Amino acid sequence: SFSHGAKDEIELVGSFIRERRVDGLIIMNIRPELDAYLQKEAEPDMPLVLLNHPIEGTPFCSVQVDNRSGARTAVAHLLERGRRKLALVGGPLDSFDSHQRIEAAQQAAADAGCPVPEPWIFHGNFEEYTGREIGLDLLKDRNNMPDALFVGNDEMAIGVLSVLMENGVRIPEDVAVVGFDDIVTSRHIGLSTVHVPLRDVGRSAMNLMMMVQDADNDNEGPVRKTLPVQLVIRRSSGTGPAGP
């Protein structure tokens, strides 16, 4: 398996493919450069399963979560709480997950008559410290702040949440916050978030890998599985104060 590579990820994956050093590959969170490499170089009979990023026009099976549904549900929840001034925090611009989540959130807000202003669409790198930086940006104009944030992953949501609370912003009274992923820390601090069934993702990926490794498999095309997600409502968007 291969997950979260660095700059040499193409070379590493390429060596696995060329030398047949493994019986199969499960690739997670691939980047555009690796997309192009796989489309050109990977052989159709190479057992390969993509996580969270299907590549159209290839014979490779994939497993992803329903990013769009999760984002729409999160936005609907914030609107149901009476919030009308939404801001969005996405991950890297070339991230498949981030693109799906933020695009769906934008559309859901616009469809509800609450379009998100361009200055309130931020992008970090999925890490907590960039969430803190975005939180500081929001605090530059205390008289013109959103009343709700949908954040594309929990790490950044925790960063935003922390810096806002450190500067006297009441959560959720002043700003309601919803993240995405449902990491363990989110459960401890009361962060509302979209739960991603990681075990199911891993199980589905292994099942697909065994299927494509089966020489007797007569599948007509690549299997593309999309797993459901679920909104988990906690204090950061509820009626009580957020925090440990």
Side-chain angles (χ1 to χ4, degrees), residues 3 11 61 78 144 172 238:
S3 173
E11 181 180 346
C61 296
L78 292 169
N144 184 34

Side-chain angles (χ1 to χ4, degrees), residues 6 17 41 64 74 144 224 236:
I17 292 174
E41 301 294 338
Q64 67 182 93
N144 184 34
R224 305 278 166 81
S236 70

Side-chain angles (χ1 to χ4, degrees), residues 161-240:
L161 191 70
S162 298
V163 78
L164 292 182
M165 294 178 66
E166 289 165 7
N167 285 274
V169 176
R170 298 174 304 163
I171 308 293
E173 293 87 351
D174 298 328
V175 181
V177 181
V178 177
F180 208 114
D181 286 338
D182 195 22
I183 65 175
V184 173
T185 304
S186 301
R187 304 167 202 175
H188 295 319
I189 69 170
L191 174 65
S192 295
T193 184
V194 178
H195 176 75
V196 172
L198 289 178
R199 290 188 178 183
D200 291 344
V201 171
R203 187 180 300 113
S204 294
M206 287 304 301
N207 287 340
L208 284 179
M209 176 58 67
M210 289 187 287
M211 183 195 76
V212 298
Q213 287 177 326
D214 183 355
D216 296 326
N217 175 51
D218 191 26
N219 185 44
E220 294 181 356
V223 177
R224 305 278 166 81
K225 297 195 68 174
T226 299
L227 303 183
V229 295
Q230 181 179 7
L231 177 66
V232 181
I233 300 172
R234 300 192 180 107
R235 294 191 302 270
S236 70
S237 66
T239 56

